[in-house]
Each structure stands twice: as C-alpha cells, then as structure tokens.
Amino acid sequence: EAHVMEYLRDAINEVVEFLHLSGEIFVCEDVVALHIPSLSSYVLGPVMVPSFFLVYRDEHLPDGCVTKEAIRRVLYDFRLRQKRDFDINIDHAVKALRFLRVCFELEKHPDVYCFPFHLQGARPPALWVKSHTLCKYVGRSVACLLETDMYSPGIFSSFQCQEAIQIDRRVCLWKKGLFVSDNHSDTAITECLVELTNQDRAIDIIVRGQEGNETKSLAVLNKFITLLNELLQEKSPGTQLQTYYLSRSHIEEASKDRPGFREEVVLDAVEHGRKIVTDTWNNICLSQSLDDLMVFPAEGNPRDQGSQMP
C-alpha cells in the first residue's frame, strides 16, 4: 500500500508540473492557481500600476518600495472597482509575485517589498567614478538584433529582482540599471554596472576590478551574461540577440552612449592577428585597438570568453 501511495504521489507531482509548464495552472510552493487569467487580472495587473499605490505608499520607504499592507489594499480596491466579491490571501499573492520575480522583500525590513518596475530614479553619479584601485575594465552589450525589436518592460525588472536577492553583496537599483559590489571581500573587489540602454534595445554589462584579479572580473561578467541569457530564454525565447564588445574608453566613464563592436568581428580580428578592429555601429564607422576592447588579453582564447554569451 505504501508503494502504491508513493507511486500515486509521484504521478500527481508529474501531472502538476506538466500543467504548470504548459501554462494550464500556476504552482509556487504551496500556492496553486487553477485559473491563470484571474492571477494575471487580479494580482499581477494591479501591482504593475504604480499609481495604484500612491494613496498607500509610505514616504519614508525607498523608491519603488511598499508594505505588504499596501499591496493588500491595492488588490482589495481593484476587486471593488471590478465588482468582484472574493478574497485573495495576501501571503499567497506575495509569494506568487516573488516567485515570478515581480518584487523582492527587503533584507532588513520584513513585509516591505521592492517593485523594480516602479522605480523612477536615475543612476546616482557617485556610483561609477574613476577609481585608482579598480582600474581593469571589461564590458559587453547584449542587444536586440532587429532595429524594430526591444526588450519587454518585465525583462529588466525581473533581472533586477534576481540580482537583488543576493544579500551577500551591495546592490543598488534605479529605473534602468543596477550596481553590484562584492565589497565584503578583502582580496578581490569587483564592481558591476548593468544598464538598459539604446532605447531599451540593449543591456550593457560592465565589470571593473583590481589589477591582478582579471580572472574574477571575467567570471563576474560571464555570470551576469549567463543569467541574462537564461532569463531571456525563459521570458522571451524568440528574441534575436547580438553581442557587442564595449571599448574601455567608453565604459570607464559609464557614458550613456557606448559604441560596440560585434562579437564575430572582434573574434575574426583575433584569429587573423589584426591589432585594429573596424566595425559599424548605428551607421557610424568605428575603429579601435584590439587591446582596448579585450582589456584582459592574457586570459586565454577570446573565443572561449565569448562562448557563454547569447
């Protein structure tokens, strides 16, 4: 009898997982939504509208942050306006929102949640200034291949949520960017700047580190690119992408416009021993030294560095 019960339990779990992956139901730990449109209409929809929170927002909280009570009241008000008389368990709703990477709970403030989609501020100027200790730079840009394409609004905010839950690092978020620092480390400090650029058609990832710690900087860069690639495959599987190498002369200052050189053009120059790379970016002809693009040329075959990119 125990064997039969175990078999049935496994079979039920497989069926539930299949229905979840096929979009018929939504499963998150102990939360099961049998009607996906209701989850979208009465939970996801209302919390994605910043103006719904204006009445209930605590002015003492950081930008984009609200309390669980505010979320509950927004969902309740929305149901009243829609003349829907049913209750929503706020704990289950918040758990679903966190699972979908719509929001995350602040580490030192229980029941306070940040919605990156609600952020309004720009990058603080003091976050990325020239440093004498963090002097080795490397950067890539993952852009939409087609000029008529762009990242959906939820892609970057989900990426921000995913990084913000890494509580062992210093993370700063703003509307179209995030900054990550491992300043808890005494031996190999690195900083990473990620920004949505080029009219929401590209995500730039820039890492800088101490001289002699180039291996870690490259590892951080590849980790971010891998996480972004996985997120895009999950939420936007049909998007065609192009990877660009960013020039050190443009990423040191973290300027808004960062001309990039296509990955295949850079790797072709490496293969044929050319020291100057020439490419076209936004209909502008560019030339740059290979060393300025690679930054860490001693870290092995550039093709290996690019193999993890989308």
Side-chain angles (χ1 to χ4, degrees):
E1 182 176 349
H3 177 72
V4 173
M5 292 299 296
E6 182 179 355
Y7 172 79
L8 290 175
R9 192 162 47 245
D10 292 342
I12 291 174
N13 289 336
E14 289 182 7
V15 171
V16 169
E17 182 180 5
F18 171 77
L19 292 174
H20 172 75
L21 294 176
S22 62
E24 296 295 328
I25 64 174
F26 171 80
V27 181
C28 167
E29 298 179 13
D30 58 342
V31 178
V32 179
L34 300 178
H35 193 245
I36 299 295
S38 293
L39 176 66
S40 300
S41 299
Y42 299 108
V43 178
L44 282 174
V47 302
M48 298 300 284
V49 183
S51 60
F52 286 178
F53 288 91
L54 291 178
V55 178
Y56 306 119
R57 189 178 184 279
D58 187 340
E59 295 182 355
H60 298 93
L61 294 178
D63 182 28
C65 295
V66 298
T67 63
K68 182 191 287 187
E69 176 62 16
I71 299 173
R72 186 193 67 78
R73 299 184 70 173
V74 164
L75 297 182
Y76 176 76
D77 289 351
F78 184 80
R79 295 199 307 278
L80 287 183
R81 286 195 294 269
Q82 299 297 317
K83 298 181 179 180
R84 297 291 183 176
D85 187 17
F86 59 86
D87 292 328
I88 293 179
N89 185 301
I90 184 59
D91 292 326
H92 291 172
V94 168
K95 189 175 293 186
L97 293 173
R98 294 178 64 182
F99 179 83
L100 294 170
R101 283 171 288 192
V102 176
C103 66
F104 62 92
E105 187 175 18
L106 299 190
E107 178 191 1
K108 298 181 180 180
H109 301 276
D111 291 340
V112 175
Y113 298 87
C114 177
F115 288 78
F117 193 77
H118 295 182
L119 294 170
Q120 296 299 322
R123 167 166 49 92
L127 270 186
W128 197 265
V129 295
K130 279 192 174 183
S131 170
H132 296 293
T133 56
L134 304 178
C135 56
K136 291 294 185 178
Y137 290 76
V138 61
R140 304 287 184 267
S141 179
V142 182
C144 297
L145 179 63
L146 303 177
E147 293 185 0
T148 55
D149 205 355
M150 64 182 294
Y151 287 115
S152 64
I155 291 292
F156 194 71
S157 59
S158 293
F159 186 75
Q160 289 174 306
C161 278
Q162 186 166 300
E163 284 306 312
I165 61 178
Q166 305 284 343
I167 60 175
D168 60 327
R169 298 177 298 175
R170 175 191 171 200
V171 180
C172 179
L173 305 178
W174 56 96
K175 185 174 181 62
K176 292 190 176 183
L178 67 93
F179 170 86
V180 179
S181 173
D182 65 345
N183 58 359
H184 297 293
S185 171
D186 295 327
T187 56
I189 296 178
T190 58
E191 293 181 345
C192 182
L193 178 70
V194 184
E195 290 189 303
L196 188 63
T197 62
N198 196 16
Q199 299 179 340
D200 298 347
R201 295 187 56 251
I203 295 178
D204 295 352
I205 304 174
I206 305 169
V207 180
R208 66 182 182 182
Q210 296 176 346
E211 187 169 3
N213 291 318
E214 291 87 349
T215 301
K216 181 171 182 179
S217 296
L218 285 170
V220 171
L221 174 71
N222 285 331
K223 178 183 177 181
F224 271 86
I225 292 177
T226 300
L227 290 175
L228 175 61
N229 193 27
E230 291 174 351
L231 184 63
L232 290 170
Q233 289 177 352
E234 174 188 340
K235 293 184 175 292
S236 185
T239 305
Q240 295 178 286
L241 302 172
Q242 173 69 60
T243 299
Y244 293 88
Y245 279 53
L246 299 178
S247 168
R248 172 174 177 167
S249 59
H250 293 95
I251 62 180
E252 278 185 334
E253 300 290 346
S255 57
K256 293 182 179 180
D257 295 323
R258 305 184 185 110
F261 293 75
R262 287 172 295 169
E263 179 183 24
E264 58 270 24
V265 174
V266 174
L267 298 183
D268 182 72
V270 173
E271 184 174 350
H272 292 87
R274 295 193 296 270
K275 295 184 178 180
I276 302 296
V277 182
T278 302
D279 198 7
T280 301
W281 182 83
N282 284 356
N283 298 320
I284 302 175
C285 185
L286 302 171
S287 293
Q288 197 79 44
S289 70
L290 186 62
D291 289 342
D292 194 40
L293 293 176
M294 299 305 300
V295 183
F296 306 139
E299 290 304 312
N301 190 337
R303 290 192 181 275
D304 295 334
Q305 298 174 16
S307 62
Q308 298 185 40
M309 300 177 191

